[in-house]
Amino acid sequence: MFDVNTVKERLRSFGYEPGEEDGFSLAFCMDKVRGSIKSKAHLSGIPTGLEQAAVDMAVGEFLLAKKTFAPDSLSGLDLGAAVKQIQAGDTNTVFATGEGSQTAEQRLDAFISHLLSREEEILHYRRLAW
């Protein structure tokens, strides 16, 4: 479900503990994502199939704002534990190219970009607007 508790749990899963001072920022990011999805897809609400994407986008918006205005508060994020390779049967996917050559800030930027780039999923739910 796309609510503030789910967004907070998602942040905790990345090593960031949201505090009371983050309440307004989280609500703002959620409203921004909600408006963006509704606008891009011409919907009146967020469908169940887009709730996970909405949570990730809200987390991405929040982390981007934190990185811009309070970068020291993100010191708890564990970007070194990111998945580098997944192999399932004959399929092998490698996520970390140039392993070890990216700074922590570059990894954070790539992670935020990944969280925010859900355009393709949103377009699957797009309706015509007359």
Side-chain angles (χ1 to χ4, degrees):
M1 173 169 259
F2 183 51
D3 61 12
V4 71
N5 291 327
T6 307
V7 174
K8 285 181 179 180
E9 282 302 314
R10 186 74 166 142
L11 282 166
R12 285 185 190 102
S13 74
F14 299 133
Y16 180 84
E17 184 60 41
E20 286 185 37
E21 70 279 1
D22 295 324
F24 176 78
S25 294
L26 286 171
F28 182 83
C29 291
M30 290 176 62
D31 286 343
K32 182 177 180 181
V33 167
R34 191 175 284 115
S36 176
I37 290 173
K38 288 166 51 175
S39 168
K40 288 178 184 175
H42 307 290
L43 298 170
S44 60
I46 296 181
T48 304
L50 283 179
E51 287 178 350
Q52 290 178 345
V55 169
D56 276 355
M57 289 172 68
V59 168
E61 289 286 348
F62 178 79
L63 291 176
L64 182 61
K66 278 292 193 179
K67 178 185 177 283
T68 303
F69 298 109
D72 293 338
S73 65
L74 296 178
S75 60
L77 287 179
D78 184 13
L79 298 172
V83 175
K84 294 181 173 132
Q85 182 174 357
I86 295 176
Q87 184 163 357
D90 293 340
T91 305
N92 186 23
T93 305
V94 178
F95 294 107
T97 57
E99 184 177 331
S101 64
Q102 289 187 329
T103 65
E105 184 175 7
Q106 288 172 325
R107 288 192 307 266
L108 178 60
D109 288 341
F111 180 60
I112 290 171
S113 177
H114 168 73
L115 290 171
L116 292 173
S117 61
R118 306 303 283 263
E119 187 79 22
E120 189 174 314
E121 291 176 65
I122 295 169
L123 293 179
H124 285 284
Y125 289 86
R126 188 171 181 168
R127 292 185 176 175
L128 291 175
W130 295 94

